[in-house]
Amino acid sequence: MHKVMSNPKMIALYVLPSLLLILGIIYVPIILTGYYGLMQWDGVSPMTFIGLENYKTLLQDAAFGNSMLHSFLFAVLSTLSLSVYMLIALVLSGQIKGANLLRKIYLIPMLLSSVAIAQLWLKIYHPSSGILNSFLEALGVEETPDWLADPDIVLTALFVPILWQYAGFYILIYYAALKNIPSSLIEAARIDGANSLQIALRIKLPLAAEVIKVTVVLAVVGSLKYFDLIYVMTDGGPNGASEVMASYMYSKAFRSFDFGYASAIGFFLLIVCLVMTWGIRRLTATKDTIEYS
Amino acid sequence: MKKQVYAAALTTAMLGTLLAGCGGGGGTEGAGSNSGGTAGTAGGEKVTLKMMHLWPDGSNSAQNKLVKQIIDDYQAANPKVTIQTEVLENEQYKNKLKVLSASNNLPDVGFTWAAGFLEPYIKGNMFTPLDDLLKGDLNGKFVSGTTEAYAIDGKTYALPVELNIVPVYYNKEIFKKYNLTPPATLEELKTVIKTLTDNGVTPVALGGKDAWTSSFWYMYLAERIGGAGLLDKSIASGTFTDPGLIQAGRTMQELVDLKAFQKGFNGLSNDEAKSEFMNEKAAMYAMGTWEVPNYTTNPDVPQAFKDKIGFFKFPTVEGGKGTVNNWVGGPGVGLFVSEKSKVKEEAKKFVSYFVQKWGENSVTKAGIIPATKVDTAAVQLPPMFTELLSELNKADKVTLYVDVQMKPGASEEHHNLVQALAGKALTPEEFAKKQEEALKAGK
């Protein structure tokens, strides 16, 4: 059997089916998206080649600028919230009572589908019968906010459930990373007189650095292309106040029937994500890898 | 050596399956188109018609049953015809239609929306003109003004099955409690709104997240202030500078200031707003006549509630040019026949049959106003229905929903702008200016 596996032709033969699938399902559509981005096309009638016109419009499109701003704001926010998740993971990985139960509590939102979460939070935010406003009214607030209808607060109102939704995911990753650190290291530090804070900052965090890098990339790229909860909860409204890049792309493609333009947005989004990933990896590149010994 | 043989055998086997897969696929496809082709030309053999519609059982069960009934009847009368249906929910239907037409795979018969939605499909040569049906079998069967919405450059590309107008429904019991009568003028409407808000009742249920619902209010105000046909003219000419249009925006914001619409309406969907009305928390609700079954025939709604609901025509505005008999509305979806269909003649015959049967049965069985003429004397109908039908016969004009009139890009922008206008994020002047820009962009 070894002979078969070291035969280049055989390798090609075994790799080929999945390679074709990946090419066909992922890479070909990416190239096609780039190609459609150069067209004026409503998705039905014949397309006309207009070169980089869509991209020029994109740069001057105030609505797109806004949605991009919202996406970036969201990326920054979710990156910052990683520190909170790490803090929770540090606490959970220590010897506290009920850590197991707490971990499960944090993880449950992740098990719900986005649409279910959206429905849940729609109820919470309901302007007259939602629990949030009922609570505020009980406290004596007279003008309760219209969480999803007020352009000034709708973004914040949306980010809360999204960050809440993903908290469990990141906490789980961090928790696993921290649990992987050999306890001998921590015990040694403790014998040397280090307190919990010192152990966390000097030992646990540096050893989890690789994982943190990965989560930063995940958080940034995930935020930039975020779509589902926003689509269900506000559909980008009111008047684009909660539009992000992906929801704007959807609206251009399926509501305005501007497929060429939507493809240009999609391609642009891909490039932004690639650049951000590359940038983050560059910024956080370390030469010496830490090894447990 | 043995291993190599084994590997070679494996290889041939794998390649074999791959090739077989491709060959098999190609083969059936060829066979399918062949049989379709011969059937269409010979006429005496079996024909399969593919049809797509947007009334899934459950959410639109009345329509769903009606479609099934019509198809069964047709198949019984034409044993050589088989009709295969595919059913999708509204939004998915729109998306799938687009994808299918991009890949030249439209069903033989399907539903489309009018005007702006239709245009790209006509430019792409996807639907076949149905004027011969209108001149033949269906001559004079349609309510005037309904098929026109599906005509582009003098050819009609789809035949409507529904006709809807937008009345304002109101809860008689709430009105009675506060000694109110249905308002005939805007001033009276404002008084009604004030009385209701003073008593802690939401005057109007409005789901502004689905901006087309807010658009009803804007459209009515524009037509009442600027006169019947103002919106049609403005959209056709691509200008939005008429003072009536700006005044309408101002009045819309006045109503918002009076707290006419429920709290946080711009973040609520139409379904959420509707439930406020159905739960009797809101006194009024402006919505298309497709809601009428809920107040008349729908067995899931308690009779006690149905008895409380009445409707009135949108009030006139003092000094405005519009009359009370100008309605906002229009045909809903219409049936098209694919240009690329291999059984076009059969498909046309079916469409003609479908439209007529639908016209006869939709009022009594599904509670839908068809786009074909109804003889109200001949059928037994709930009173609200008869009243609305006779209103429709008296109508001076039915203004087609502006978002349907506009091309998709401008229509989407209209939704955003109406939302912003109602949320007071734009002044009426800015609203008009931006709407004009969107119309001028020509998308």
Side-chain angles (χ1 to χ4, degrees):
Chain A
M1 211 54 191
H2 260 294
K3 231 180 197 167
V4 178
M5 286 310 178
S6 58
N7 180 347
K9 280 182 198 155
M10 280 298 120
I11 293 173
L13 186 72
Y14 282 99
V15 170
L16 211 58
S18 48
L19 189 68
L20 282 178
L21 276 179
I22 289 182
L23 284 178
I25 293 170
I26 298 172
Y27 290 94
V28 171
I30 289 178
I31 294 165
L32 280 178
T33 306
Y35 170 71
Y36 293 146
L38 305 174
M39 301 285 163
Q40 184 179 348
W41 188 35
D42 57 24
V44 181
S45 40
M47 27 183 169
T48 31
F49 182 79
I50 51 165
L52 292 174
E53 206 54 48
N54 279 333
Y55 292 91
K56 278 185 203 151
T57 322
L58 199 60
L59 295 177
Q60 293 156 1
D61 185 347
F64 178 70
N66 261 336
S67 65
M68 194 155 93
L69 190 75
H70 298 156
S71 289
F72 275 106
L73 191 72
F74 178 39
V76 171
L77 222 86
S78 35
T79 313
L80 288 179
S81 58
L82 287 179
S83 53
V84 180
Y85 304 150
M86 180 49 115
L87 199 70
I88 297 173
L90 278 171
V91 173
L92 285 180
S93 67
Q95 260 94 34
I96 64 156
K97 268 190 185 158
N100 244 335
L101 178 72
L102 284 172
R103 216 173 70 230
K104 284 182 185 101
I105 289 174
Y106 288 123
L107 203 62
I108 281 174
M110 232 185 87
L111 304 178
L112 299 174
S113 82
S114 286
V115 178
I117 291 178
Q119 291 301 336
L120 176 75
W121 283 81
L122 277 174
K123 298 277 181 300
I124 293 175
Y125 282 140
H126 193 285
S128 48
S129 61
I131 54 162
L132 198 57
N133 277 356
S134 305
F135 179 67
L136 288 176
E137 271 161 26
L139 287 181
V141 181
E142 285 193 357
E143 280 292 306
T144 48
D146 298 333
W147 298 102
L148 299 176
D150 186 338
D152 297 328
I153 32 183
V154 61
L155 263 192
T156 324
L158 276 177
F159 287 163
V160 171
I162 302 174
L163 294 177
W164 173 81
Q165 177 188 12
Y166 284 100
F169 173 70
Y170 290 113
I171 291 172
L172 188 74
I173 293 184
Y174 287 153
Y175 178 82
L178 294 174
K179 278 285 173 193
N180 253 342
I181 297 169
S183 54
S184 58
L185 283 178
I186 292 158
E187 273 159 32
R190 200 154 265 149
I191 290 165
D192 287 343
N195 60 29
S196 296
L197 184 69
Q198 281 169 328
I199 291 174
L201 287 179
R202 300 280 168 83
I203 296 175
K204 288 184 172 174
L205 281 184
L207 287 175
E210 280 302 315
V211 173
I212 294 174
K213 272 188 235 168
V214 172
T215 55
V216 169
V217 173
L218 280 178
V220 169
V221 174
S223 315
L224 289 179
K225 58 187 185 129
Y226 196 78
F227 175 73
D228 39 12
L229 211 72
I230 292 175
Y231 173 70
V232 180
M233 285 181 72
T234 65
D235 211 355
N239 187 31
S242 61
E243 202 87 85
V244 291
M245 284 195 274
S247 67
Y248 190 65
M249 173 176 80
Y250 180 86
S251 134
K252 279 291 162 198
F254 288 104
R255 294 194 209 290
S256 304
F257 289 5
D258 206 344
F259 261 72
Y261 193 56
S263 301
I265 297 173
F267 203 69
F268 182 80
L269 185 57
L270 172 82
I271 291 173
V272 170
C273 287
L274 282 177
V275 169
M276 292 300 282
T277 313
W278 178 79
I280 293 167
R281 299 211 64 94
R282 257 318 268 274
L283 279 174
T284 57
T286 38
K287 277 183 189 133
D288 47 334
T289 48
I290 301 161
E291 277 170 32
Y292 311 132
S293 51
Chain B
M1 192 59 201
K2 227 180 192 173
K3 274 173 192 161
Q4 256 168 1
V5 172
Y6 175 66
L10 204 66
T11 316
T12 21
M14 280 179 71
L15 283 175
T17 25
L18 270 175
L19 287 173
C22 297
T28 43
E29 202 177 287
S33 52
N34 267 341
S35 67
T38 44
T41 44
E45 289 164 44
K46 285 219 174 294
V47 182
T48 304
L49 282 178
K50 283 191 181 144
M51 179 190 191
M52 241 168 90
H53 73 82
L54 61 159
W55 295 300
D57 202 4
S59 57
N60 289 85
S61 41
Q63 283 98 326
N64 184 288
K65 278 198 200 94
L66 193 52
V67 173
K68 262 189 207 142
Q69 184 63 47
I70 296 176
I71 288 175
D72 286 347
D73 290 351
Y74 190 76
Q75 287 182 154
N78 302 275
K80 66 186 172 78
V81 181
T82 324
I83 293 158
Q84 287 175 356
T85 49
E86 188 181 350
V87 192
L88 294 149
E89 172 277 325
N90 206 11
E91 191 86 352
Q92 287 167 6
Y93 181 90
K94 281 185 184 169
N95 293 350
K96 177 141 189 184
L97 197 66
K98 166 152 300 184
V99 175
L100 286 180
S101 50
S103 60
N104 259 329
N105 246 330
L106 280 179
D108 302 304
V109 177
F111 285 96
T112 173
W113 285 260
F117 182 90
L118 189 66
E119 218 179 283
Y121 292 90
I122 305 309
K123 270 198 287 176
N125 201 19
M126 293 292 164
F127 301 159
T128 195
L130 298 172
D131 294 283
D132 46 339
L133 288 180
L134 277 176
K135 284 183 197 120
D137 286 2
L138 298 172
N139 195 3
K141 297 250 169 161
F142 284 95
V143 176
S144 71
T146 49
T147 52
E148 281 81 347
Y150 295 88
I152 290 176
D153 297 332
K155 283 180 190 165
T156 313
Y157 289 92
L159 299 175
V161 296
E162 296 174 307
L163 176 60
N164 291 296
I165 47 175
V166 180
V168 183
Y169 308 102
Y170 73 104
N171 190 313
K172 290 184 209 161
E173 199 175 74
I174 299 181
F175 267 53
K176 204 170 145 198
K177 191 172 170 195
Y178 302 107
N179 259 327
L180 300 167
T181 45
T185 64
L186 183 67
E187 282 312 310
E188 286 178 35
L189 177 68
K190 284 183 186 167
T191 317
V192 168
I193 290 169
K194 271 182 209 143
T195 314
L196 290 169
T197 41
D198 286 349
N199 286 291
V201 178
T202 305
V204 178
L206 177 72
K209 182 177 145 193
D210 299 323
W212 50 270
T213 57
S214 315
S215 183
F216 287 164
W217 286 80
Y218 179 78
M219 283 185 257
Y220 265 127
L221 290 169
E223 294 278 293
R224 292 287 187 264
I225 294 168
L230 170 64
L231 287 168
D232 297 359
K233 268 181 277 168
S234 306
I235 293 167
S237 64
T239 53
F240 230 72
T241 47
D242 191 283
L245 295 168
I246 295 163
Q247 183 61 33
R250 208 167 288 135
T251 315
M252 178 95 190
Q253 294 192 332
E254 271 171 43
L255 292 178
V256 173
D257 285 340
L258 282 174
K259 297 198 189 308
F261 309 114
Q262 91 229 57
K263 189 176 158 42
F265 64 90
N266 254 352
L268 296 172
S269 68
N270 178 41
D271 280 345
E272 286 170 296
K274 186 166 125 184
S275 74
E276 300 264 307
F277 183 68
M278 302 287 280
N279 292 328
E280 303 184 57
K281 283 185 190 152
M284 291 175 274
Y285 181 50
M287 192 45 59
T289 37
W290 57 80
E291 281 299 326
V292 173
N294 281 334
Y295 316 131
T296 52
T297 51
N298 187 347
D300 302 333
V301 179
Q303 188 60 39
F305 174 78
K306 288 178 189 160
D307 292 341
K308 287 180 201 164
I309 304 305
F311 75 92
F312 60 85
K313 304 183 222 181
F314 199 90
T316 51
V317 176
E318 295 80 354
K321 294 179 198 158
T323 65
V324 78
N325 279 332
N326 170 15
W327 294 84
V328 161
V333 289
L335 275 170
F336 70 81
V337 171
S338 164
E339 177 69 39
K340 311 246 155 53
S341 165
K342 297 209 166 65
V343 285
K344 224 190 259 180
E345 286 314 310
E346 287 295 335
K348 277 187 182 175
K349 259 184 227 160
F350 173 65
V351 165
S352 168
Y353 179 86
F354 189 98
V355 171
Q356 296 183 54
K357 279 285 157 196
W358 183 276
E360 286 163 24
N361 293 323
S362 63
V363 183
T364 42
K365 294 208 175 116
I368 302 151
I369 304 181
T372 42
K373 290 174 187 162
V374 183
D375 181 7
T376 44
V379 280
Q380 192 73 37
L381 294 171
M384 187 192 264
F385 230 103
T386 334
E387 281 169 47
L388 276 165
L389 279 170
S390 74
E391 286 297 343
L392 195 58
N393 291 336
K394 281 192 291 185
D396 296 334
K397 178 173 167 50
V398 177
T399 301
L400 180 61
Y401 317 108
V402 293
D403 46 348
V404 177
Q405 282 193 42
M406 292 178 195
K407 291 185 181 179
S411 169
E412 174 64 6
E413 189 60 17
H414 172 75
H415 288 153
N416 287 334
L417 290 173
V418 160
Q419 234 176 23
L421 181 77
K424 300 194 76 182
L426 284 177
T427 64
E429 289 80 11
E430 286 167 338
F431 167 81
K433 190 168 157 271
K434 292 203 168 182
Q435 185 65 68
E436 177 161 325
E437 280 167 17
L439 286 170
K440 288 231 159 90
K443 280 184 184 171

